[in-house]
Amino acid sequence: MCSIIGYYGNETAAPILVKGLKRMEYRGYDSVGVATENDNEIEVKKGTGKVNEVNSKVQLDVLPGKIGIGHTRWATHGKVTDLNAHPHPSNSGKIAIVHNGIIENFEELKNQLESEGYSFKSETDSEVIANILQKNYEITKDVKETILKTVSELQGHYAFVAMFENGQLAAARFHEPLIIGVGQDDFFLSSDVLGFIEYTDDAIYMENGNFVILEKDKFQILDFNGEHAKYGITKVSKEFGDAYKGDYAHFTLKEIYEQPETILKAGEKTADEIKSTADYIRHAKNIYITGSGTSYNSALIAKQILSKYAKIKAEPIMSSELQFSPDIIEDNSILIAISQSGESADVLDAVKIAKKANCKIIAIVNLLTSSLAREADVTIGMNCGPEIGVAATKSFTSQLVILYKIVKYLNEENLKIDFNQTSQSIGKILENPTNVQKTAKELKDISDIYVLGRGIHYPIAIEASLKLKELTYIHAEGIPGGELKHGPLALMDDNVFVIIINPNDSTYTDTLTSAREIKARGAKIIGISDVQSDVYDYWIEIPKISESEFPILEIIPIQLLSYYAALEKDTDPDYPRNLAKSVTVK
Ligand code: F6R
């Protein structure tokens, strides 16, 4: 979603803000802006485009003042225009805000403010915050009272930072992330530790329904009743500052290439948590597994491996759908919530529903300080380091490894899997991408790709099609092999490419038959398999391994294929259009 940032200290704020925004750009990247306060005046610079583009156009980092706020936008209300970019000043220009989230009652508030003579320059919901703050500040003449009054009027979910002309900064959190970075002589406010990790690793994760006021050398954190709130300073892992591309052209490529190591770190040092999860699973009335996007695709795999190797039934639930049928959730059950960021609003909502039904929550997350981790009874960390590329790659394979570890604990006899072997096999695929690169060239001008898989390979086909869509903007769809004749075969002609996920396991022969049926209709076939076949127009070889490991392995060449096809199509693989990494709004 959007990223917000604030700086209060002894250094010139603008360059620090711009650096922080650059690091958080994965959260939203259609517009960017910065505002600083200097000699009781607020100056704003903003525009559409990515941080570097806008910075070279308007020099965001050349603004005077040691107090400032900044924002990268992922549009929700209003188009991608300069005027809709944040920061938004209030009518008087004496207050400016940056906001992440959605103000649900903004129309009502806007109408009220307009009837009182306020005017609006943007189409955003966020601009109302600036003007309500102005109105309340003119009444109360006090920042604390102003924030209290303002949050009592706002509905929805938000994190905002407000900068007052007198040099005070205040920030409030309600169901959107907000972290305070505590430096030697300065403070940072940020949606993500990446916004300030270069300067300090002391962080305060603000609780929901709290706000902070920063003044010279001090800060106070209060709750929405105006009472002092408890907080703790956490040492943030410096590893999260390790978000550099190194020699790789893109974060996405770097993250794909990290997988031989990251799968070995998944769920590391969580033997106790895996044991508790297995105990919960054994005693639960029902097991639900939830997530969004790629994390939901992991839930689909989890269902299959739990039933195949541990004879345990589980129900995957798409997080965004649960609110429409909350009665699915029965009490005395468990919900396994999978989320890289731990901040997806849909996932957090699903957790809320499950908690209401007295379910235990198991979180599989990458960010151990996230809202999801804090809501859970048991948390298992993916430990895959920051995933900056918007499309999930290494987090997916880490999620799978954790799920496999849980199932392995439940039935060691049935599930034999050696992750060192898997890691080596991934390494082998990555060693020589030439064949994948060549195949990617063929995808440059096509408009439809289908990905076919049977059994456990069908969720991988869905995940593969998600990667292709996100990175290449080519229409892509996962097809369960057996359903081909029940409809999708009608789509096959010589304009179409079909990726066949076909490792040599129990699905092999049937899937090969599907490939032949497709080929007979003129479509081109890309086979992902450990066995060559004449039916494949392009064969992408995967190493021979034990059957249980194939799902973890077979997604790797498709991640690579999506990446290289994105380069062919000249799209930005790290920042697909219209998307954002951490979807904290519904
Ligand atoms: C796909 C992708 C998204 C995320 C989804 C959930 O490549 O990145 O579909 O998987 O938004 O995000 P998390 O796992 O952070 O909850």
Side-chain angles (χ1 to χ4, degrees):
M1 297 297 83
C2 306
S3 67
I4 59 174
I5 191 165
Y7 175 78
Y8 194 113
N10 293 326
E11 305 291 325
T12 304
I16 294 173
L17 295 169
V18 171
K19 257 197 205 168
L21 290 172
K22 181 83 202 95
R23 283 177 155 243
M24 291 197 290
E25 201 162 29
Y26 70 90
R27 296 179 61 86
Y29 37 84
D30 56 44
S31 333
V32 54
V34 166
T36 56
E37 181 277 335
N38 190 45
D39 287 340
N40 292 338
E41 276 207 10
I42 289 175
E43 196 179 335
V44 181
K45 284 185 178 180
K46 57 188 183 177
T48 59
K50 295 188 45 203
V51 177
N52 284 347
E53 286 158 31
V54 179
N55 196 31
S56 51
K57 252 189 279 169
V58 301
Q59 282 81 50
L60 297 167
D61 56 358
V62 184
L63 275 170
K66 295 175 176 176
I67 299 168
I69 58 178
H71 187 268
T72 60
R73 181 166 186 248
W74 182 81
T76 57
H77 290 59
K79 292 192 204 68
V80 179
T81 63
D82 290 351
L83 281 179
N84 287 337
H86 298 217
H88 291 291
S90 70
N91 274 190
S92 64
K94 294 184 177 185
I95 297 171
I97 64 101
V98 286
H99 163 229
N100 171 33
I102 288 177
I103 304 302
E104 283 161 5
N105 59 339
F106 89 99
E107 273 178 327
E108 198 183 310
L109 295 170
K110 191 169 175 177
N111 291 341
Q112 177 61 32
L113 287 162
E114 278 173 338
S115 73
E116 294 170 22
Y118 285 86
S119 60
F120 289 83
K121 291 199 172 76
S122 77
E123 303 158 305
T124 65
D125 53 336
S126 310
E127 198 180 354
V128 297
I129 303 175
N131 284 325
I132 297 180
L133 285 168
Q134 178 184 322
K135 179 178 154 184
N136 291 335
Y137 191 63
E138 282 167 4
I139 299 168
T140 65
K141 313 267 187 273
D142 177 80
V143 170
K144 174 182 161 188
E145 294 307 320
T146 298
I147 300 290
L148 283 173
K149 206 161 164 10
T150 301
V151 295
S152 73
E153 291 172 63
L154 298 176
Q155 284 167 18
H157 35 107
Y158 50 80
F160 67 80
V161 186
M163 182 168 63
F164 293 75
E165 190 197 48
N166 65 3
Q168 276 182 301
L169 268 195
R173 171 177 186 215
F174 193 62
H175 295 298
E176 292 291 347
L178 185 62
I179 306 162
I180 307 172
V182 184
Q184 196 80 356
D185 301 307
D186 40 17
F187 298 112
F188 303 81
L189 298 162
S190 182
S191 301
D192 188 316
V193 291
L194 289 178
F196 57 78
I197 192 74
E198 234 176 281
Y199 305 96
T200 176
D201 57 355
D202 285 330
I204 299 170
Y205 287 84
M206 279 184 59
E207 292 297 332
N208 207 36
N210 282 359
F211 67 101
V212 58
I213 300 175
L214 299 179
E215 286 160 285
K216 191 142 186 55
D217 301 330
K218 65 169 191 184
F219 66 89
Q220 47 175 332
I221 299 179
L222 303 155
D223 64 23
F224 284 2
N225 295 317
E227 303 296 329
H228 282 278
K230 284 200 185 122
Y231 63 86
I233 297 186
T234 310
K235 274 268 176 241
V236 178
S237 165
K238 276 279 186 197
E239 181 210 4
F240 276 88
D242 197 21
Y244 293 102
K245 281 184 278 202
D247 292 336
Y248 290 94
H250 294 97
F251 281 112
T252 305
L253 187 63
K254 175 176 178 255
E255 288 156 11
I256 292 172
Y257 270 82
E258 281 171 353
Q259 290 174 104
E261 288 91 50
T262 51
I263 67 150
L264 295 177
K265 288 191 180 155
E268 205 180 35
K269 297 193 191 125
T270 54
D272 289 349
E273 287 78 3
I274 289 190
K275 179 183 176 305
S276 312
T277 303
D279 287 346
Y280 278 131
I281 288 177
R282 284 196 187 106
H283 298 110
K285 185 153 130 201
N286 296 293
I287 299 147
Y288 310 108
I289 315 173
T290 199
S292 299
T294 291
S295 301
Y296 173 68
N297 295 337
S298 292
L300 295 174
I301 300 272
K303 173 192 161 106
Q304 300 229 13
I305 57 174
L306 271 165
S307 76
K308 179 167 179 165
Y309 300 109
K311 307 283 172 255
I312 289 173
K313 266 203 271 174
E315 186 172 356
I317 300 174
M318 207 175 265
S319 298
S320 56
E321 284 294 311
L322 188 57
Q323 60 177 307
F324 304 108
S325 47
D327 298 334
I328 291 178
I329 305 286
E330 291 184 40
D331 60 2
N332 296 324
S333 299
I334 66 163
L335 179 79
I336 303 178
I338 309 174
S339 173
Q340 186 282 130
S341 61
E343 298 293 351
S344 291
D346 290 321
V347 179
L348 294 174
D349 259 25
V351 166
K352 217 187 276 169
I353 291 167
K355 277 192 147 181
K356 243 192 215 161
N358 273 330
C359 291
K360 293 285 177 204
I361 310 295
I362 316 294
I364 299 181
V365 284
N366 196 24
L367 283 179
L368 293 174
T369 46
S370 62
S371 306
L372 176 58
R374 285 188 282 159
E375 289 292 325
D377 297 286
V378 178
T379 299
I380 305 176
M382 297 174 201
N383 299 331
C384 63
E387 189 178 65
I388 304 295
V390 166
T393 51
K394 62 178 177 174
S395 64
F396 178 62
T397 46
S398 294
Q399 291 166 2
L400 295 188
V401 167
I402 290 171
L403 292 163
Y404 272 88
K405 282 187 172 173
I406 295 169
V407 175
K408 196 168 181 216
Y409 189 92
L410 285 162
N411 196 338
E412 185 103 28
E413 272 305 292
N414 259 1
L415 178 57
K416 304 259 181 262
I417 186 161
D418 174 358
F419 295 113
N420 286 314
Q421 186 65 47
T422 322
S423 161
Q424 280 169 23
S425 302
I426 295 176
K428 250 191 212 159
I429 295 175
L430 296 173
E431 222 168 69
N432 184 3
T434 322
N435 187 23
V436 176
Q437 282 165 328
K438 260 199 243 151
T439 313
K441 285 191 196 307
E442 304 297 322
L443 304 183
K444 187 169 178 221
D445 297 316
I446 64 153
S447 48
D448 300 285
I449 304 181
Y450 298 94
V451 190
L452 183 138
R454 275 187 154 78
I456 200 160
H457 311 296
Y458 172 50
I460 296 291
I462 300 175
E463 171 58 13
S465 68
L466 182 59
K467 287 299 84 90
L468 286 158
K469 269 178 228 173
E470 288 175 299
L471 295 184
T472 68
Y473 314 155
I474 299 171
H475 163 244
E477 221 178 292
I479 302 177
E483 288 298 292
L484 190 64
K485 284 190 273 228
H486 299 291
L489 204 52
L491 299 165
M492 301 302 154
D493 62 25
D494 49 14
N495 297 315
V496 161
F497 267 72
V498 183
I499 298 175
I500 305 281
I501 302 183
N502 199 19
N504 192 9
D505 64 7
S506 55
T507 65
Y508 180 77
T509 311
D510 287 343
T511 303
L512 207 61
T513 305
S514 302
R516 293 200 189 282
E517 289 166 358
I518 292 168
K519 191 161 172 132
R521 272 79 189 176
K524 292 268 183 305
I525 308 281
I526 301 173
I528 310 277
S529 182
D530 49 333
V531 183
Q532 163 73 299
S533 163
D534 61 351
V535 74
Y536 305 142
D537 297 285
Y538 307 90
W539 174 43
I540 298 177
E541 186 178 5
I542 52 173
K544 287 190 192 311
I545 40 163
S546 73
E547 184 170 335
S548 56
E549 289 166 63
F550 277 126
I552 306 174
L553 199 64
E554 64 207 19
I555 191 61
I556 309 289
I558 305 178
Q559 292 173 347
L560 268 186
L561 185 68
S562 307
Y563 171 79
Y564 286 116
L567 298 192
E568 292 298 326
K569 298 206 66 174
D570 211 13
T571 64
D572 184 342
D574 283 347
Y575 301 106
R577 69 183 176 202
N578 306 337
L579 299 180
K581 182 78 183 157
S582 180
V583 186
T584 60
V585 294
K586 292 188 18 110

